[in-house]
């Protein structure tokens, strides 16, 4: 579904992604694991073309999306949930959802506000509140809901469990599994191995912008030394 | 009481056009982060286009239809400008965008002249609203009442558009985080264009709607500019209610000013602005702007190094040639070179602020003209000799810069640019309105150098020594610890603060110093011309310097000097054409888009490419 091939991305002169390659299969939840500064966020941005790879290619459902404008990438069905959440703090919950609205797409679920409020009951109570009045957990839910309004078939979740209360982390895991059941493909980045273990089918471990390990979750659990080398557990 | 109410009503009516124009500027800035300096030009176009429609469309219906059509046409012109000029520079540093919009001002000025001619048009009266109504015995024009009634509808329509429609939601979202809006699948390019259309259409409406009160003339663009800036600064950039409240405040104040303080109507609005800024730095309804969203420069800054061997040689040879010039050149050439030298010092002082300090001052003429007027006033009223006047001129200019700088430096980025421009306009309006003291429009004349320096050749040497001395001093300061502190403050205020530099203080001193240097240039200018007129304080003069620095290249120290020589030399030639503004405007736009490093910067790059100069990172 998504193929990242030999991608090299830079911030000015800083070489951050180094010949990064991995695939994401349709219907899977893939966890991108790595320490602070390993390049997880940059990978997400390079997929969305918010950071344009200097060399290499990103292919989505057979279409080469390298150097495409981010809004076109989104229109193809890629949904991006950024690490810093970036909700529109002056807009109400309803208005935030409106920004994410895109026409229905054949291959995926078509989300409505009501379906999203079913999934995130907390948000339902706060639909007329402004973004800045929400708690951290509510903001995290709102970013996901906002992206789902675009009816994506692949969703990029950058550290969904970061900085939120443990109860909400559990809810987040349930949401991801529910999305998977609905047929969405998920690429998420994590430092929290436990969270990844709860939701992921496959893992890709990156360090210094290079994929150091790719495999199923079971395989990773069978090789604790890999875990210890690349992740801070 | 009746008079009081009548004055309030006049103020409210005047606020109408001001609100429309200012809210357009605010909207455009909110989404695109570009301060459209050409906004006054769209206002002017609205007046002219509206006037033309009114000539052909008859009756009351024709009148109001003309106003709407003017908004539409100006909006469409706005789209063209956005697509051709602004799209290529959205990612460029702020300064480039500002300069590009200035190029647009010049182009629109000349195109308007070309299409409508140089004569002012008296605005047609609105059919059915020609007379007056007496309110408590005082006459109030019916059209004023119509405007007062109309404005809330325009404001309401805008409010509805912004808060209730999907487009409005997208606009507000983009105001906060454009990239995220794009990542959610919204084509920002069209959103930008749409907002630009709306903003320009509002400016056009404002221009057309004030026709019966003010008519149409070619000075409208600059005349409204500082008022709009004051309004958005007072109201808060990006806030519609702010724009309305501030427009009313300024307009009402103006009306009272005309009646009670006729000498200082223009100064009044600046006083209000300063008071508001002291208590609310981001305006009545504004919020802090996160500056530098798209970074300072496109390319990493090169360390500016002391001149190398080759550069020194070139400079020495150049100086020797200049020194020998009187032996061969006639007095025409000497006068021209004197002008160029003076202008180069002026430009170099701005370059110091801009290139080194990152302080984009749009009102540098205040210190050039300020120095010039200081010298002229001293000579006229105190019979001060030239030598003393030339010493006091930079002091006066520097002092002015320190006072203005104190206010302007409370803000950063585009706010700073708008404030500097507004203050320069303040000084201009003081000089212009206080005719008894400054000679007003007639200027001050008969200000000649002392006996010993009155010969063309002697004055040439005097100007050369002072100007080159000033430029060397600026360069020297750039390489002193103070220069490094200034650069530190520009590149990373936080880092500089951490190393114990008081960045605001450093910038303030730099502002005063650059002002003083411009003051020397101004003082020399008066004595070389023998007279001074308010146009030396005009926006156009500030822009001259800005363009020069820009054309020369912001990042090269030689930028100010090379650009100054090029422009002042070219101007002598180019101003012989009737439509030189058009040419200059197009040139600026092309340079912004095609050679963003300026003349000196681009030459340098070429030189590096062919191996004439070594690149820094290889050296
Ligand atoms: N805008 C930027 N400019 C320059 N360097 C950057 C920028 N953003 C990130 N970097 C650098 O790129 C590297 C990778 O950053 P990235 O954000 O992709 O890592 P990450 O794996 O997402 O880290 P984290 O777990 O902290 O989110 C880091 O060394 C970081 O310092
Ligand atoms: Mg990250």
């Amino acid at each position: 579904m998504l193929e990242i091939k030999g991608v090299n991305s830079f911030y000015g002169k800083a070489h951050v992604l180094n010949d990064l390659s991995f695939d994401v299969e349709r219907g899977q939840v893939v966890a991108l694991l790595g320490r602070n500064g390993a390049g997880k966020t940059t990978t997400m941005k390079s997929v969305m073309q918010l950071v344009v790879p200097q060399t290499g290619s990103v292919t989505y459902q057979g279409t080469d999306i390298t150097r495409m404008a981010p809004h076109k990438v989104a229109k193809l069905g890629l949904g991006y949930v950024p690490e810093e959440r970036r909700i529109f703090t002056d807009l109400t919950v309803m208005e935030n959802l409106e920004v994410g609205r895109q026409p229905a797409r054949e291959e995926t679920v078509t989300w409505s506000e009501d379906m999203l409020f079913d999934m995130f009951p907390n948000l339902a109570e706060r639909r007329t509140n402004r973004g800045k009045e929400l708690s951290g957990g509510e903001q995290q839910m709102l970013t996901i809901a906002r992206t789902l309004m675009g009816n994506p078939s692949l969703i990029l979740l950058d550290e969904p469990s970061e900085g939120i209360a443990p109860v909400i982390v559990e809810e987040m895991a349930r949401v991801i599994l529910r999305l998977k059941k609905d047929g969405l493909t998920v690429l998420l980045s994590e430092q929290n191995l436990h969270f990844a273990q709860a939701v992921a089918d496959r893992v890709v471990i990156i360090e210094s912008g290079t994929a150091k390990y790719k495999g199923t979750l079971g395989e990773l659990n069978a090789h604790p030394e890999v875990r210890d080398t690349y992740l801070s557990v | 009481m009746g008079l009081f109410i009548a004055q309030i009503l006049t103020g409210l009516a005047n606020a109408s056009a001001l609100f429309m124009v200012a809210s357009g500027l605010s909207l455009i800035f909110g989404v695109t982060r570009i301060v459209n300096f050409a906004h006054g030009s769209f206002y002017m176009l609205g007046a002219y286009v509206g006037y033309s429609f009114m000539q052909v469309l008859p009756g009351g219906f024709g009148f109001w239809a003309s106003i709407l059509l003017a908004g539409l046409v100006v909006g469409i012109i706005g789209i063209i400008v956005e697509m051709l000029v602004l799209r290529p520079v959205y990612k460029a540093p702020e300064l480039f965008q500002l300069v590009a919009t200035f190029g647009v001002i010049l182009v629109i000025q000349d195109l308007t002249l070309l299409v409508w001619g140089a004569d002012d048009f008296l605005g047609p009266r609105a059919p059915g609203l020609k007379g007056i109504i007496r309110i408590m015995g005082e006459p109030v024009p019916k059209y004023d009442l119509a405007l007062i009634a109309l404005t809330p509808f325009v404001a309401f329509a805008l409010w509805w558009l912004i808060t209730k429609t999907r487009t409005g939601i997208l606009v507000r979202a983009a105001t906060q985080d454009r990239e995220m809006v794009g990542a959610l699948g919204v084509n920002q390019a069209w959103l930008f264009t749409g907002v630009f259309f709306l903003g320009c259409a509002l400016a056009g409406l404002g221009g057309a709607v004030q026709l019966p009160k003010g008519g149409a003339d070619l000075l409208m663009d600059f005349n409204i500019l500082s008022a709009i800036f004051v309004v958005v600064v007072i109201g808060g950039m990006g806030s519609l209610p702010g724009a309305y409240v501030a427009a009313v405040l300024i307009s009402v104040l103006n009306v009272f000013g005309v009646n009670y303080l006729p000498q200082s109507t223009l100064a009044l609005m600046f006083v209000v602005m300063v008071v508001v800024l002291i208590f609310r730095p981001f305006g009545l309804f504004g919020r802090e702007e996160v500056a530098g969203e798209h970074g300072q420069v496109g390319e990493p800054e090169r360390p500016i190094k002391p001149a190398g061997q080759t550069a020194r040689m070139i400079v020495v040879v150049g100086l020797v040639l200049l020194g020998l010039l009187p032996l061969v050149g006639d007095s025409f050439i000497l006068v021209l070179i004197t002008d160029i030298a003076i202008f180069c010092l002026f430009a170099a002082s701005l370059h110091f602020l801009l290139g080194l300090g990152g302080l984009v001052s749009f009102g540098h003429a205040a210190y050039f003209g300020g120095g010039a007027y200081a010298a002229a006033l001293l000579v006229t009223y105190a019979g001060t000799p030239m030598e003393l006047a030339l010493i006091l001129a930079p002091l006066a200019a520097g002092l002015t810069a320190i006072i203005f700088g104190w206010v302007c430096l409370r803000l950063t980025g585009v706010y700073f640019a708008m404030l500097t421009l507004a203050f320069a306009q303040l000084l201009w309006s003081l000089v212009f309105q206080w005719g008894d003291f400054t000679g007003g429009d007639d200027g001050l004349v008969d200000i000649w150098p002392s006996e010993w320096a009155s010969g063309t050749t002697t004055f040439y040497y005097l100007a050369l020594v002072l100007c080159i001395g000033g430029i060397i001093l600026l360069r020297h300061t750039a390489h002193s610890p103070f220069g490094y502190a200034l650069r530190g403050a520009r590149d990373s205020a936080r880092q500089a603060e951490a190393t114990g530099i008081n960045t605001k203080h450093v910038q303030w001193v730099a502002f005063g110093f650059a002002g003083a240097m411009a003051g020397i240039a101004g003082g020399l200018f008066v004595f070389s011309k023998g007279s001074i007129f308010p146009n030396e304080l005009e926006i156009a003069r500030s822009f001259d310097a800005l363009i020069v620095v820009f054309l020369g290249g912001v990042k090269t120290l030689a930028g100010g000097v090379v650009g100054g020589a090029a422009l002042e030399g070219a101007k002598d030639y180019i101003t012989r054409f009737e439509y030189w503004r058009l040419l200059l405007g197009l040139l600026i736009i092309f340079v912004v888009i095609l050679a963003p490093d300026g003349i000196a910067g681009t030459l340098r790059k070429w030189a590096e490419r062919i191996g004439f100069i070594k690149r820094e990172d290889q050296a």
Side-chain angles (χ1 to χ4, degrees):
Chain A
M1 178 132 189
L2 180 73
E3 288 151 36
I4 297 166
K5 262 204 216 106
V7 163
N8 285 282
S9 290
F10 295 74
Y11 293 109
K13 282 188 180 152
H15 194 162
V16 175
L17 295 189
N18 211 328
D19 275 330
L20 179 69
S21 304
F22 67 90
D23 297 348
V24 177
E25 302 284 326
R26 183 183 292 275
Q28 282 191 337
V29 176
V30 175
L32 188 61
L33 300 174
R35 292 202 183 95
N36 262 335
K40 303 182 294 293
T41 300
T42 312
T43 306
M44 299 286 191
K45 290 191 171 171
S46 299
V47 172
M48 276 315 282
Q49 304 305 315
L50 293 169
V51 168
V52 180
Q54 221 154 70
T55 55
S57 69
V58 182
T59 313
Y60 171 71
Q61 295 190 326
T63 314
D64 184 357
I65 57 171
T66 332
R67 280 173 277 279
M68 203 181 254
H71 75 270
K72 289 190 184 145
V73 175
K75 278 213 190 303
L76 287 178
L78 270 130
Y80 171 55
V81 179
E83 183 174 10
E84 323 84 340
R85 301 187 189 127
R86 295 169 75 168
I87 59 163
F88 304 110
T89 46
D90 282 340
L91 272 57
T92 63
V93 168
M94 288 298 275
E95 287 172 340
N96 267 278
L97 295 181
E98 180 61 43
V99 178
R101 185 191 300 279
Q102 290 290 325
R105 223 185 308 276
E106 265 175 33
E107 80 254 21
T108 53
V109 195
T110 306
W111 295 89
S112 67
E113 281 96 338
D114 288 336
M115 289 161 72
L116 290 168
F117 287 142
D118 269 351
M119 188 150 83
F120 302 108
N122 296 27
L123 285 184
E125 293 159 25
R126 318 216 58 176
R127 58 182 86 196
T128 55
N129 283 87
R130 286 178 194 278
K132 60 182 160 214
E133 295 157 5
L134 304 185
S135 69
E138 287 166 340
Q139 291 193 350
Q140 183 67 57
M141 292 173 195
L142 180 57
T143 38
I144 297 179
R146 181 181 66 181
T147 301
L148 289 176
M149 283 297 286
N151 312 312
S153 20
L154 190 158
I155 185 163
L156 306 166
L157 290 171
D158 200 354
E159 301 212 25
S161 73
E162 195 193 14
I164 52 178
V167 215
I168 314 215
V169 174
E170 274 173 40
E171 191 177 337
M172 207 57 75
R174 274 199 301 277
V175 166
I176 291 169
L177 292 174
R178 150 94 193 270
L179 294 179
K180 182 186 166 187
K181 218 168 81 210
D182 284 337
L184 259 80
T185 310
V186 180
L187 172 62
L188 61 89
S189 83
E190 264 309 325
Q191 291 191 53
N192 177 343
L193 188 59
H194 297 294
F195 184 78
Q197 277 172 331
V199 295
D201 302 307
R202 295 176 56 84
V203 294
V204 175
I205 298 182
I206 62 170
E207 180 162 277
S208 307
T210 309
K212 297 284 182 185
Y213 176 87
K214 300 173 205 171
T216 64
L217 198 66
E219 287 163 5
L220 177 66
N221 286 335
H223 294 280
E225 73 284 358
V226 175
R227 221 173 53 190
D228 298 345
T229 316
Y230 297 116
L231 304 172
S232 27
V233 191
Chain B
M1 187 63 196
L3 182 65
F4 182 76
I5 290 177
Q7 283 175 352
I8 297 253
L9 290 177
T10 313
L12 279 172
N14 291 348
S16 182
L18 194 54
F19 161 70
M20 291 182 205
V21 186
S23 57
L25 183 82
S26 228
L27 265 178
I28 291 175
F29 174 77
V31 175
T32 66
R33 297 283 128 177
I34 285 187
V35 173
N36 179 21
F37 273 77
H39 212 63
S41 307
F42 291 105
Y43 166 75
M44 177 172 79
L45 274 180
Y48 276 98
V49 173
Y51 177 85
S52 292
F53 276 121
M54 285 171 196
Q55 301 307 303
V56 290
L57 301 177
F61 173 78
F63 177 84
W64 295 104
S66 297
I67 290 179
L68 286 180
L69 282 171
L72 190 70
V73 169
V74 173
I76 291 169
I77 296 174
I79 290 182
I80 297 171
V81 168
E82 196 268 347
M83 300 226 272
L84 293 183
V85 182
L86 296 180
R87 278 198 183 177
V89 301
Y90 278 130
K91 292 226 167 73
E94 256 157 24
L95 172 68
F96 290 40
Q97 303 169 341
L98 299 180
V99 171
T101 60
F102 181 65
V104 174
I105 296 183
L106 294 176
V107 170
I108 291 182
Q109 254 174 7
D110 262 6
L111 288 182
T112 311
L113 177 66
L114 198 75
V115 174
W116 283 280
D119 293 334
D120 295 356
F121 292 136
L122 215 56
R125 314 281 284 294
L129 296 167
K130 284 187 179 150
I132 51 152
I133 288 180
R134 289 206 174 264
I135 293 180
M136 300 174 87
E138 294 294 328
V140 177
K142 281 187 192 162
Y143 189 67
D144 276 12
L145 294 175
L147 281 185
I148 295 171
L150 177 77
T151 315
F153 286 103
V154 176
F156 179 80
L158 260 183
W159 173 84
W160 182 82
L161 183 72
I162 296 298
T163 56
K164 298 293 175 209
T165 65
R166 174 171 163 87
T167 312
I169 291 172
L170 293 181
V171 165
R172 277 183 293 141
T175 301
Q176 187 184 341
D177 189 344
R178 292 184 286 187
E179 190 187 61
M180 194 61 226
V181 173
L184 289 167
V186 178
N187 185 351
Q188 294 177 69
W190 286 109
L191 193 62
F192 281 27
T193 309
V195 165
F196 213 80
F197 167 81
L198 183 61
C200 291
L202 280 166
L205 277 180
V209 94
Q210 63 79 52
L211 271 171
K213 294 166 73 74
D217 62 70
L218 286 168
L219 296 176
M220 288 173 75
D221 52 352
F222 280 150
N223 283 346
I224 195 155
L225 207 53
S226 52
I228 327 176
F229 286 173
V230 169
V231 165
V232 294
V233 169
I234 290 183
M237 200 61 152
S239 160
L240 287 180
Y244 187 68
V245 170
V248 169
L249 190 69
I250 291 300
S251 305
V252 170
L253 230 98
N254 235 345
V255 175
F256 281 103
V258 169
N259 282 287
Y260 304 113
L261 288 164
Q263 306 282 291
S264 53
T265 43
L266 290 164
L268 210 56
M269 72 181 180
F270 291 96
V271 174
V272 176
M273 181 177 78
V274 170
V275 172
V276 169
L277 281 182
I278 288 172
F279 293 102
R280 294 196 56 100
F282 298 98
L284 294 174
F285 293 79
R287 269 166 309 143
E288 183 163 5
E289 293 296 342
V290 197
E293 191 202 343
H294 30 244
Q296 292 279 329
V297 280
E299 210 185 321
E301 190 89 13
R302 305 222 182 125
I304 295 175
K305 291 192 313 182
Q309 208 73 49
T310 337
R312 268 167 209 246
M313 282 299 291
I314 295 175
V315 171
V316 168
V317 170
L319 289 182
V320 169
L321 287 180
L322 283 176
L324 295 177
L325 188 70
L327 299 180
V328 288
D330 56 12
S331 71
F332 172 80
I333 293 286
L334 292 185
V335 169
L336 181 66
I337 302 284
T338 307
D339 283 355
I340 292 180
I342 291 172
F343 193 67
C344 285
L345 175 59
F346 175 38
S349 70
L350 178 64
H351 180 272
F352 178 83
L353 267 189
L354 217 152
L356 242 64
L359 298 167
V360 184
S361 166
F362 267 46
H364 209 52
Y367 317 108
F368 177 79
Y373 263 97
L377 290 169
L378 282 166
V379 172
T380 309
Y381 292 102
T384 314
M386 177 190 80
E387 297 78 10
L388 187 59
L390 280 182
I391 293 171
L392 292 175
L395 284 181
L399 196 66
T400 315
I402 284 181
I403 295 169
F404 288 179
W406 182 77
V407 182
C408 297
L409 283 166
R410 296 177 149 252
L411 299 183
T412 52
V414 291
Y415 280 92
F416 174 81
M418 289 193 296
L419 275 187
T420 50
L421 182 141
F423 271 100
Q425 276 302 88
L426 165 67
L427 201 64
W428 174 83
S429 62
L430 277 178
V431 167
F432 194 78
Q433 288 191 327
W434 200 4
D436 298 341
F437 183 56
T438 61
D441 212 9
D442 300 327
L444 294 167
V445 292
D446 271 339
I447 298 138
W448 297 110
S450 301
E451 195 57 43
W452 64 269
S454 57
T456 310
T457 309
T458 330
F459 195 81
Y460 167 80
Y461 280 122
L462 176 69
L464 212 57
V465 166
L466 285 180
C467 291
I468 291 171
I471 292 169
I472 291 174
L473 182 59
L474 282 165
R475 244 199 94 94
H476 192 78
T477 314
H479 293 299
S480 71
F482 181 77
Y484 289 105
L486 187 60
R487 252 172 270 164
R490 172 197 65 191
D491 293 336
S492 168
R494 212 177 306 145
Q495 221 169 319
E497 296 275 355
T499 55
I501 298 169
N502 182 342
T503 54
K504 280 287 167 225
H505 195 81
V506 167
Q507 290 176 333
W508 196 23
V509 173
F511 200 78
F513 176 58
M517 287 311 192
I520 297 184
L524 281 170
F525 178 84
V526 171
F527 287 106
S528 81
K529 297 287 175 236
S531 59
I532 178 79
F533 300 95
N535 59 348
E536 294 309 323
L537 288 161
E538 269 177 0
I539 299 180
R541 199 74 183 139
S542 297
F543 277 124
D544 276 352
L546 207 62
I547 288 166
V548 155
V549 172
F550 181 77
L551 289 181
V554 182
K555 287 186 234 161
T556 29
L557 267 183
V561 179
V562 174
L567 182 79
E568 198 63 18
K571 235 182 154 180
D572 183 65
Y573 178 71
I574 193 176
T575 46
R576 289 178 215 165
F577 296 105
E578 194 174 355
Y579 295 105
W580 64 273
R581 281 188 201 83
L582 184 65
L583 285 177
L584 185 61
L586 290 175
L587 177 70
I588 292 170
I589 293 170
F590 278 121
V591 170
V592 172
I593 295 172
L594 298 178
D597 292 314
I599 298 172
T602 306
L603 283 180
R604 193 195 170 89
K605 266 203 177 153
W606 287 347
E608 280 172 359
R609 209 167 294 163
I610 60 174
F612 187 63
I613 306 178
K614 264 198 216 157
R615 277 191 68 99
E616 239 107 85
D617 44 345
Q618 295 164 353

